[in-house]
Amino acid sequence: MSYTVQDLLELLDLESIEENIYRGLNRDIGTGRVFGGQVMAQALVAAQRTVPEERVAHSMHGYFILPGDMNAPIVYFVDRLRDGKSFTTRRVTAIQHGRAIFNMSASFQIVEDDGPEHQTEMPAAPPPESLVPDLELVRSRADSIPDHLRPILTQDRPIDFRPVDPIDPFDPVARPPRRMLWARVIGDMPRESLANQAVLAYASDYGLLATSLLPHALSIHTPGMQVATLDHAIWFHRPVHYDQWHLYVMDSPSASGARGFTRGSIFNEKGQLIASTAQEGLTRYHG
């Protein structure tokens, strides 16, 4: 089964059904419900469609309200909250079966060069070319993957993820709540900022919440583990070109109350901090 970058871009290219109203389809990646990164990315596309092209997203904050139904399209309603001289604010509500499953606030800004600039330093990491693609690692242990998940988890992917210190989600061992991986799309991306930001938003949900499970020798595939994203935020600091390698550095400062908190920093190959993420999710264990 194939899943290419063109398939991903088409998934994120929403249908306009009325002013401020858009519709998107779904793609199963093995979770049995709509992937949170897909909803985040599609909501960003819906919001950007109502904003002048010269204004680019600098932050987005989303709450996941209900699990998404894979078999039903998602309708996105955009509220135009504010159009200022420099900033534009939008609120997006995702609807299925007449109920909100997700809402998001996003802010857009004209491109500005004035103001001070600094960033945290990118940590040392082996180059992506020296690492094994995650898909190869998954396929090498295909026999341990449940039959119903094997065709989906071993299919071709639009994004090449290369973990620095791989884990086996079907046989996890305890380790500190930190991980790094390189990522980029397999193929070419349009130059427009929206497509690149949307794909980054999609990829930013990959492995983030699972980082909070590492110290406990648990994974999202551990029997009895109930995992679901509750909220997810992204701040875009610099332009994104996601057909180039990006290092995703993740850590989890806290887990308590059946919730795991995680955060991430996304650097390009030049060491520039491109985006930051934060996420909290349900991590309930029925052991």
Side-chain angles (χ1 to χ4, degrees), residues 48 50-57 108-111 192-194:
Q48 181 75 69
T50 70
V51 175
E53 289 185 5
E54 65 270 17
R55 299 194 177 208
V56 179
F108 302 80
Q109 182 188 10
I110 61 172
V111 177
E192 62 168 340
S193 61
L194 174 57

Side-chain angles (χ1 to χ4, degrees), residues 117-262:
E117 182 173 328
H118 73 274
Q119 67 162 73
T120 188
E121 186 175 352
M122 184 175 77
E129 294 80 10
S130 69
L131 302 173
V132 179
D134 184 64
L135 181 57
E136 287 188 23
L137 296 171
V138 171
R139 287 173 172 171
S140 70
R141 52 179 181 259
D143 291 344
S144 66
I145 301 174
D147 292 344
H148 69 287
L149 291 177
R150 191 177 301 127
I152 298 174
L153 296 184
T154 60
Q155 70 178 331
D156 290 341
R157 299 174 180 176
I159 300 174
D160 186 355
F161 295 105
R162 300 198 177 191
V164 171
D165 189 8
I167 63 171
D168 185 345
F170 296 98
D171 187 22
V173 296
R175 48 184 278 187
R178 295 185 298 273
R179 63 187 309 207
M180 294 192 296
L181 60 83
W182 288 97
R184 70 174 179 184
V185 298
I186 302 172
D188 296 325
M189 285 288 295
R191 290 297 91 190
E192 62 168 340
S193 61
L194 174 57
N196 285 273
Q197 286 189 327
V199 171
L200 182 147
Y202 178 93
S204 71
D205 197 28
Y206 183 85
L208 187 54
L209 182 56
T211 305
S212 70
L213 302 177
L214 294 179
H216 313 285
L218 299 169
S219 85
I220 61 173
H221 296 297
T222 298
M225 196 72 227
Q226 183 181 359
V227 178
T229 302
L230 298 173
D231 64 335
H232 189 119
I234 305 173
W235 295 264
F236 297 100
H237 309 305
R238 293 172 177 83
V240 182
H241 302 289
Y242 215 73
D243 50 6
Q244 301 173 10
W245 285 112
H246 287 72
L247 180 67
Y248 198 4
V249 181
M250 295 166 272
D251 77 309
S252 175
S254 175
S256 64
R259 301 186 315 277
F261 173 67
T262 53

